[in-house]
Amino acid sequence: MFQVRKAADRGHRQHGWLDTWHSFSFGDYHNPAAMGFHTLRVINDDRVAPGEGFGMHGHRDMEILTYVLEGELEHKDSLGHGEVLRPGEVQRMTAGRGIRHSEFNPSPTTPVHLYQIWLLPREPGLEPSYDQRPFPRADQHGRWRLIASPDGRDGSLTIQQDALLWATNLAPGDEVVAALDPQRAAWLQVLRGTVAVGDQELSPGDALAIENESALPVRASDDAELLLFDLP
């Protein structure tokens, strides 16, 4: 079963320095029909203006992944980490029993476009931790590249949940097929470009909720970038 979540149906907030779209209820956007999907709780599509960002704030009991499409994002946290996240790199933060961090666009001229993702953890009260590593886009061209997993396999980030996150970049005419477990669920998020799944055409910001399926064939109409979540 496929269910489309169109980009325009997401929650939208314009804060001047922040243009943000929420796939699921978040902040002052509340939609009882969009409280998450299985263990996937938040997908925020954010554009942060030059020289702006999120001041120091706290999280707990979430697995947080940050994926930058354009620009740079400077991260500092209460564990002592200070990094700059760029396209081709992914950040993972286990908030656990409590962590504080800030996220800032250090460029004076260029906006940063990022997706921030929250997954529910396997249990509350975990030890907070942080990791960031490169995932060159060339390694995910025309194939699904594993980005995050519960055991850190194949060089992926380790997350505290029985979920897998895959990424791919496709050229026009490329087709990839993901094998799915029909006893689990999946969520396909289009970051860039236009793709087709069967007779469904998906554009940037669109998503597909998937249940009771054993395969996901995706065909690109133009240059595209996608994320695929395999969820319990």
PDB file of all heavy atoms in Angstrom, residues 111-125:
ATOM      1  N   PRO A 111      22.319  30.909   2.050  1.00  0.00           N
ATOM      2  CA  PRO A 111      21.406  30.152   2.924  1.00  0.00           C
ATOM      3  C   PRO A 111      21.860  28.697   3.037  1.00  0.00           C
ATOM      4  O   PRO A 111      22.609  28.201   2.189  1.00  0.00           O
ATOM      5  CB  PRO A 111      20.057  30.248   2.207  1.00  0.00           C
ATOM      6  CG  PRO A 111      20.204  31.359   1.214  1.00  0.00           C
ATOM      7  CD  PRO A 111      21.649  31.389   0.833  1.00  0.00           C
ATOM      8  N   VAL A 112      21.407  28.019   4.074  1.00  0.00           N
ATOM      9  CA  VAL A 112      21.640  26.589   4.204  1.00  0.00           C
ATOM     10  C   VAL A 112      20.297  25.874   4.106  1.00  0.00           C
ATOM     11  O   VAL A 112      19.308  26.306   4.696  1.00  0.00           O
ATOM     12  CB  VAL A 112      22.377  26.230   5.519  1.00  0.00           C
ATOM     13  CG1 VAL A 112      21.612  26.679   6.755  1.00  0.00           C
ATOM     14  CG2 VAL A 112      22.646  24.734   5.600  1.00  0.00           C
ATOM     15  N   HIS A 113      20.268  24.810   3.327  1.00  0.00           N
ATOM     16  CA  HIS A 113      19.066  23.996   3.148  1.00  0.00           C
ATOM     17  C   HIS A 113      19.356  22.625   3.726  1.00  0.00           C
ATOM     18  O   HIS A 113      20.313  21.955   3.314  1.00  0.00           O
ATOM     19  CB  HIS A 113      18.713  23.892   1.659  1.00  0.00           C
ATOM     20  CG  HIS A 113      17.465  23.109   1.389  1.00  0.00           C
ATOM     21  ND1 HIS A 113      17.139  22.630   0.136  1.00  0.00           N
ATOM     22  CD2 HIS A 113      16.448  22.712   2.207  1.00  0.00           C
ATOM     23  CE1 HIS A 113      15.989  21.992   0.198  1.00  0.00           C
ATOM     24  NE2 HIS A 113      15.554  22.010   1.441  1.00  0.00           N
ATOM     25  N   LEU A 114      18.564  22.211   4.692  1.00  0.00           N
ATOM     26  CA  LEU A 114      18.813  20.952   5.388  1.00  0.00           C
ATOM     27  C   LEU A 114      17.505  20.242   5.698  1.00  0.00           C
ATOM     28  O   LEU A 114      16.437  20.851   5.739  1.00  0.00           O
ATOM     29  CB  LEU A 114      19.575  21.205   6.695  1.00  0.00           C
ATOM     30  CG  LEU A 114      18.817  22.013   7.763  1.00  0.00           C
ATOM     31  CD1 LEU A 114      18.563  21.175   9.007  1.00  0.00           C
ATOM     32  CD2 LEU A 114      19.591  23.279   8.134  1.00  0.00           C
ATOM     33  N   TYR A 115      17.637  18.936   5.911  1.00  0.00           N
ATOM     34  CA  TYR A 115      16.550  18.135   6.461  1.00  0.00           C
ATOM     35  C   TYR A 115      16.986  17.666   7.847  1.00  0.00           C
ATOM     36  O   TYR A 115      18.089  17.135   8.006  1.00  0.00           O
ATOM     37  CB  TYR A 115      16.257  16.910   5.583  1.00  0.00           C
ATOM     38  CG  TYR A 115      15.229  17.160   4.511  1.00  0.00           C
ATOM     39  CD1 TYR A 115      15.537  17.923   3.392  1.00  0.00           C
ATOM     40  CD2 TYR A 115      13.945  16.631   4.612  1.00  0.00           C
ATOM     41  CE1 TYR A 115      14.595  18.152   2.400  1.00  0.00           C
ATOM     42  CE2 TYR A 115      12.997  16.850   3.626  1.00  0.00           C
ATOM     43  CZ  TYR A 115      13.328  17.611   2.525  1.00  0.00           C
ATOM     44  OH  TYR A 115      12.389  17.841   1.543  1.00  0.00           O
ATOM     45  N   GLN A 116      16.117  17.895   8.834  1.00  0.00           N
ATOM     46  CA  GLN A 116      16.365  17.325  10.156  1.00  0.00           C
ATOM     47  C   GLN A 116      15.298  16.281  10.442  1.00  0.00           C
ATOM     48  O   GLN A 116      14.106  16.508  10.247  1.00  0.00           O
ATOM     49  CB  GLN A 116      16.383  18.371  11.258  1.00  0.00           C
ATOM     50  CG  GLN A 116      16.847  17.761  12.577  1.00  0.00           C
ATOM     51  CD  GLN A 116      17.275  18.789  13.602  1.00  0.00           C
ATOM     52  OE1 GLN A 116      16.495  19.148  14.458  1.00  0.00           O
ATOM     53  NE2 GLN A 116      18.515  19.252  13.530  1.00  0.00           N
ATOM     54  N   ILE A 117      15.777  15.133  10.927  1.00  0.00           N
ATOM     55  CA  ILE A 117      14.947  13.935  11.077  1.00  0.00           C
ATOM     56  C   ILE A 117      15.044  13.443  12.511  1.00  0.00           C
ATOM     57  O   ILE A 117      16.143  13.367  13.062  1.00  0.00           O
ATOM     58  CB  ILE A 117      15.446  12.838  10.108  1.00  0.00           C
ATOM     59  CG1 ILE A 117      15.308  13.300   8.654  1.00  0.00           C
ATOM     60  CG2 ILE A 117      14.733  11.525  10.357  1.00  0.00           C
ATOM     61  CD1 ILE A 117      16.451  12.857   7.771  1.00  0.00           C
ATOM     62  N   TRP A 118      13.914  13.128  13.112  1.00  0.00           N
ATOM     63  CA  TRP A 118      13.894  12.531  14.446  1.00  0.00           C
ATOM     64  C   TRP A 118      13.235  11.154  14.370  1.00  0.00           C
ATOM     65  O   TRP A 118      12.172  10.992  13.747  1.00  0.00           O
ATOM     66  CB  TRP A 118      13.089  13.366  15.429  1.00  0.00           C
ATOM     67  CG  TRP A 118      13.599  14.739  15.715  1.00  0.00           C
ATOM     68  CD1 TRP A 118      14.644  15.395  15.105  1.00  0.00           C
ATOM     69  CD2 TRP A 118      13.068  15.651  16.678  1.00  0.00           C
ATOM     70  NE1 TRP A 118      14.789  16.646  15.630  1.00  0.00           N
ATOM     71  CE2 TRP A 118      13.846  16.839  16.597  1.00  0.00           C
ATOM     72  CE3 TRP A 118      12.017  15.592  17.587  1.00  0.00           C
ATOM     73  CZ2 TRP A 118      13.600  17.947  17.410  1.00  0.00           C
ATOM     74  CZ3 TRP A 118      11.764  16.693  18.396  1.00  0.00           C
ATOM     75  CH2 TRP A 118      12.552  17.849  18.307  1.00  0.00           C
ATOM     76  N   LEU A 119      13.874  10.192  15.008  1.00  0.00           N
ATOM     77  CA  LEU A 119      13.282   8.870  15.197  1.00  0.00           C
ATOM     78  C   LEU A 119      13.162   8.586  16.686  1.00  0.00           C
ATOM     79  O   LEU A 119      14.017   9.003  17.484  1.00  0.00           O
ATOM     80  CB  LEU A 119      14.136   7.780  14.551  1.00  0.00           C
ATOM     81  CG  LEU A 119      14.236   7.837  13.030  1.00  0.00           C
ATOM     82  CD1 LEU A 119      15.667   8.177  12.620  1.00  0.00           C
ATOM     83  CD2 LEU A 119      13.813   6.529  12.405  1.00  0.00           C
ATOM     84  N   LEU A 120      12.112   7.882  17.068  1.00  0.00           N
ATOM     85  CA  LEU A 120      11.988   7.449  18.451  1.00  0.00           C
ATOM     86  C   LEU A 120      13.098   6.437  18.750  1.00  0.00           C
ATOM     87  O   LEU A 120      13.396   5.572  17.921  1.00  0.00           O
ATOM     88  CB  LEU A 120      10.619   6.811  18.678  1.00  0.00           C
ATOM     89  CG  LEU A 120       9.406   7.715  18.415  1.00  0.00           C
ATOM     90  CD1 LEU A 120       8.123   6.901  18.503  1.00  0.00           C
ATOM     91  CD2 LEU A 120       9.376   8.877  19.395  1.00  0.00           C
ATOM     92  N   PRO A 121      13.734   6.506  19.927  1.00  0.00           N
ATOM     93  CA  PRO A 121      14.794   5.556  20.257  1.00  0.00           C
ATOM     94  C   PRO A 121      14.220   4.223  20.714  1.00  0.00           C
ATOM     95  O   PRO A 121      13.026   4.105  20.987  1.00  0.00           O
ATOM     96  CB  PRO A 121      15.531   6.251  21.399  1.00  0.00           C
ATOM     97  CG  PRO A 121      14.452   7.041  22.087  1.00  0.00           C
ATOM     98  CD  PRO A 121      13.508   7.492  20.994  1.00  0.00           C
ATOM     99  N   ARG A 122      15.082   3.222  20.815  1.00  0.00           N
ATOM    100  CA  ARG A 122      14.652   1.889  21.253  1.00  0.00           C
ATOM    101  C   ARG A 122      14.211   1.884  22.707  1.00  0.00           C
ATOM    102  O   ARG A 122      13.412   1.048  23.121  1.00  0.00           O
ATOM    103  CB  ARG A 122      15.768   0.876  21.038  1.00  0.00           C
ATOM    104  CG  ARG A 122      17.086   1.216  21.707  1.00  0.00           C
ATOM    105  CD  ARG A 122      18.138   0.157  21.448  1.00  0.00           C
ATOM    106  NE  ARG A 122      19.466   0.572  21.858  1.00  0.00           N
ATOM    107  CZ  ARG A 122      19.912   0.557  23.104  1.00  0.00           C
ATOM    108  NH1 ARG A 122      19.125   0.138  24.090  1.00  0.00           N
ATOM    109  NH2 ARG A 122      21.148   0.952  23.393  1.00  0.00           N
ATOM    110  N   GLU A 123      14.738   2.832  23.512  1.00  0.00           N
ATOM    111  CA  GLU A 123      14.329   2.956  24.911  1.00  0.00           C
ATOM    112  C   GLU A 123      14.696   4.342  25.414  1.00  0.00           C
ATOM    113  O   GLU A 123      15.598   4.988  24.856  1.00  0.00           O
ATOM    114  CB  GLU A 123      15.007   1.890  25.782  1.00  0.00           C
ATOM    115  CG  GLU A 123      16.520   1.957  25.788  1.00  0.00           C
ATOM    116  CD  GLU A 123      17.126   0.838  26.607  1.00  0.00           C
ATOM    117  OE1 GLU A 123      17.375  -0.243  26.030  1.00  0.00           O
ATOM    118  OE2 GLU A 123      17.359   1.057  27.804  1.00  0.00           O
ATOM    119  N   PRO A 124      14.049   4.835  26.458  1.00  0.00           N
ATOM    120  CA  PRO A 124      14.378   6.159  26.980  1.00  0.00           C
ATOM    121  C   PRO A 124      15.628   6.117  27.855  1.00  0.00           C
ATOM    122  O   PRO A 124      16.071   5.056  28.294  1.00  0.00           O
ATOM    123  CB  PRO A 124      13.138   6.526  27.806  1.00  0.00           C
ATOM    124  CG  PRO A 124      12.588   5.208  28.246  1.00  0.00           C
ATOM    125  CD  PRO A 124      12.869   4.252  27.116  1.00  0.00           C
ATOM    126  N   GLY A 125      16.192   7.303  28.096  1.00  0.00           N
ATOM    127  CA  GLY A 125      17.270   7.440  29.054  1.00  0.00           C
ATOM    128  C   GLY A 125      18.624   6.937  28.605  1.00  0.00           C
ATOM    129  O   GLY A 125      19.487   6.628  29.439  1.00  0.00           O
TER     130      GLY A 125
END
